[in-house]
Amino acid sequence: MRIDVILGLQWGDEGKGKIVDYLADQYDIVARFQGGPNAGHTLKFGGNKYVLHTVPSGIFRPNLINLIGNGVVLDPVVFQRELQNLEQSGVQFHKRLLLSRKAHLILPTHRWLDAASEAHKGKEKIGSTLKGIGPTYMDKTGRNGLRLGDVEQPGFRDLYEALKQKHLELLKIYPSIDFDLKAAEDAWFASLDTLRALPFVDSEYYLHDALGQGKHVLAEGAQGAMLDIDFGTYPFVTSSNTITAGVCTGLGVAPQRVGRVIGITKAYCTRVGSGPFPTELSDATGDRLREAGHEFGSTTGRPRRCGWIDLPQLRYTIQLTGTTELCMTKIDVLNAFTEIAAATHYRYGGQETTNLPYDLCQVDVQAVFKKFKGWECSLDDVRRIEDLPAAARAFLDELEAYLGVPFRMVSTGPEREKLLVRE
Ligand code: GDP
Ligand code: IMO
Ligand code: MG
């Protein structure tokens, strides 16, 4: 059996949670492969809204196994809060939420190092979610990290103390920030009991066996391909590989196991935090997109920066991720616009090109746009992609021709059922 992948093709918040939740009942296992509580995945169904940070978006589908893979970094305190919310919503998860022993733990001191590093950078800050993501991945690659499996070891407290001491020393080189070590530590250790109550697995063996038995597995990406540590707008990126390659390292599955790769893009584009964004609209149209799309961060509440969809950028991330089919979300946000636009190429250094420059941060890239007529009507009654208004179809057709990959899904609202699927 193959493992299918859902990931974001822009700078995050493309609507991955909604699409994973919709598709989840066609799968046996949903697995997160990277990122951590920097993610905020929103699901809406039955008149309720849920935001997940670490828990995979298949958790609301009965009987489905949800796996947190080795590539994820997990903050047990945030995780405990998420589980409490699930319990309050009546979700039974105890036997079907599995944790990889090789996933790394976010310590309270990782969060403070994140905050101190951002304070040190001042105006140059990444705009991190301050969840401790960067410092935790630094300890992972620096071979100092603590893994979930360590919690089961007798020497765990000593390992924790050694890493904490190192962090307290490191914090001295940064501008000082306020923290209450004792309170945070108590809460952190108490939250470990929540972890211990769930099954720990060697997820690479678990998934290998599951695929061998013909189980259907869906890998759920966090962030977006433009936030990838290697190929994103470095240094304004996250600290993990958000592209399809991250599925292999973050779950322990071989590349030839990867099946469908579903790349998600909004009908426009957003970014939260600092860094280059060639199609950003710092004007009334950008504000209008933010209002219509309720573009405020699911994790931090920060206003998202908005702009038109960027086709050279999408072509780049489709190439990096091996996207086999596209999903467009939030097309309804454009319903009231008389005119919309899409960037078709860039102008910089006296040339026109569709390639991004080596350092998007240093080069003044001008996006060149093509305009499209808006459809100026509600899409609430549309049930099939073919039945979209002519102007919306023309927009999709032109994007498909440019990107060379078909749109198999179009999302017309935040609710689970507001999805048009081309079979
Ligand atoms: P994720 O991080 O990729 O899962 O996306 P987020 O949940 O952070 O942000 C997407 C936001 O858009 C959420 O508030 C969703 O409820 C909402 N959303 C998802 N799909 C649609 C859609 O098709 N139309 C509208 N209007 N909202 C959507
Ligand atoms: P989901 O999964 C949007 C951004 C942050 C910041 C940069 C680095 O909901 O799409 P980090 O905390 O990872 O060190 O922050 O990445 N960022 C996201 N932006 N959606 C996300 O996740 C994000 N996770 C991180 O705003 O610019
Ligand atoms: Mg999000």
Side-chain angles (χ1 to χ4, degrees):
M1 228 35 224
R2 300 290 185 99
I3 177 166
D4 295 339
V5 182
I6 287 193
L7 42 72
L9 293 174
Q10 298 167 312
W11 279 274
D13 304 324
E14 296 89 350
K16 299 174 290 292
K18 171 190 161 152
I19 304 301
V20 171
D21 166 64
Y22 176 88
L23 292 180
D25 70 349
Q26 301 169 22
Y27 289 88
D28 301 297
I29 301 171
V30 173
R32 275 278 305 269
F33 57 93
Q34 45 70 233
N38 48 351
H41 294 183
T42 314
L43 284 61
K44 271 192 173 178
F45 55 86
N48 293 315
K49 170 176 155 175
Y50 307 90
V51 182
L52 298 169
H53 300 287
T54 323
V55 174
S57 300
I59 201 69
F60 292 96
R61 299 291 193 167
N63 305 322
L64 192 124
I65 299 287
N66 288 261
L67 173 74
I68 295 178
N70 58 280
V72 173
V73 290
L74 186 144
D75 183 332
V77 177
V78 177
F79 189 58
Q80 183 181 45
R81 227 178 292 135
E82 270 189 87
L83 296 191
Q84 282 163 354
N85 290 340
L86 287 176
E87 252 162 12
Q88 278 166 15
S89 309
V91 179
Q92 303 286 334
F93 55 79
H94 276 99
K95 292 206 173 59
R96 54 186 198 91
L97 180 54
L98 314 183
L99 309 176
S100 166
R101 288 195 174 85
K102 293 193 172 78
H104 278 247
L105 286 167
I106 302 177
L107 274 55
T109 38
H110 281 130
R111 276 194 290 112
W112 302 328
L113 281 168
D114 200 356
S117 163
E118 288 283 78
H120 180 66
K121 286 185 166 156
K123 275 201 346 235
E124 306 299 314
K125 72 177 181 183
I126 308 293
S128 129
T129 58
L130 302 179
K131 302 293 175 190
I133 305 297
T136 308
Y137 279 114
M138 278 166 70
D139 273 336
K140 174 178 177 172
T141 52
R143 294 150 299 172
N144 296 308
L146 286 187
R147 298 186 291 177
L148 256 67
D150 295 331
V151 170
E152 298 175 312
Q153 305 299 321
F156 178 67
R157 185 83 205 203
D158 293 341
L159 290 174
Y160 169 84
E161 289 296 333
L163 189 55
K164 177 187 82 180
Q165 282 310 328
K166 193 190 99 175
H167 290 165
L168 293 176
E169 286 303 312
L170 274 175
L171 279 166
K172 290 180 190 163
I173 66 170
Y174 287 119
S176 81
I177 53 160
D178 287 337
F179 56 84
D180 181 342
L181 180 59
K182 171 86 176 59
E185 222 167 31
D186 288 350
W188 195 81
F189 274 95
S191 69
L192 294 181
D193 288 338
T194 309
L195 292 186
R196 290 193 187 96
L198 297 175
F200 284 17
V201 292
D202 297 317
S203 53
E204 60 278 33
Y205 283 113
Y206 182 87
L207 285 175
H208 182 81
D209 292 347
L211 290 166
Q213 290 160 15
K215 296 266 192 327
H216 295 82
V217 184
L218 179 63
E220 173 180 2
Q223 290 78 57
M226 290 303 286
L227 290 170
D228 182 87
I229 181 71
D230 283 284
F231 298 105
T233 44
Y234 193 88
F236 299 98
V237 292
T238 191
S239 299
S240 62
N241 281 118
T242 57
I243 58 175
T244 310
V247 175
C248 300
T249 55
L251 292 174
V253 295
Q256 64 268 32
R257 282 287 195 186
V258 174
R260 290 165 61 190
V261 180
I262 302 164
I264 308 188
T265 170
K266 288 184 194 186
Y268 49 99
C269 192
T270 65
R271 159 159 219 177
V272 60
S274 329
F277 179 1
T279 62
E280 181 168 16
L281 295 164
S282 309
D283 59 8
T285 310
D287 293 343
R288 197 171 160 206
L289 283 170
R290 186 175 312 103
E291 286 297 308
H294 305 291
E295 294 294 356
F296 296 90
S298 313
T299 297
T300 58
R302 291 177 291 177
R304 295 176 183 145
R305 299 156 60 193
C306 297
W308 295 124
I309 196 166
D310 183 340
L311 301 182
Q313 177 271 300
L314 282 174
R315 194 185 263 171
Y316 176 64
T317 53
I318 286 169
Q319 173 187 317
L320 290 168
T321 55
T323 290
T324 58
E325 57 192 88
L326 289 163
C327 169
M328 178 181 280
T329 55
K330 306 194 88 159
I331 193 170
D332 55 297
V333 172
L334 303 180
N335 282 354
F337 284 75
T338 40
E339 190 173 71
I340 59 177
T344 53
H345 50 283
Y346 305 129
R347 232 175 250 143
Y348 59 86
Q351 55 164 357
E352 283 206 349
T353 172
T354 53
N355 283 2
L356 288 157
Y358 158 66
D359 194 346
L360 199 47
C361 306
Q362 301 297 329
V363 180
D364 184 20
V365 168
Q366 250 188 300
V368 182
F369 293 97
K370 172 168 178 162
K371 292 187 172 145
F372 292 82
K373 220 169 122 351
W375 40 95
E376 298 184 78
C377 63
S378 161
L379 304 178
D380 278 351
D381 296 328
V382 179
R383 295 286 169 270
R384 301 185 320 152
I385 293 180
E386 295 73 28
D387 298 335
L388 281 165
R393 272 187 288 126
F395 181 54
L396 281 172
D397 287 349
E398 181 119 359
L399 265 53
E400 253 181 22
Y402 186 107
L403 299 170
V405 184
F407 278 98
R408 207 175 83 82
M409 287 178 274
V410 176
S411 174
T412 57
E415 297 80 14
R416 188 188 266 171
E417 61 281 1
K418 291 238 169 109
L419 191 69
L420 316 178
V421 183
R422 204 176 341 230
E423 294 306 337

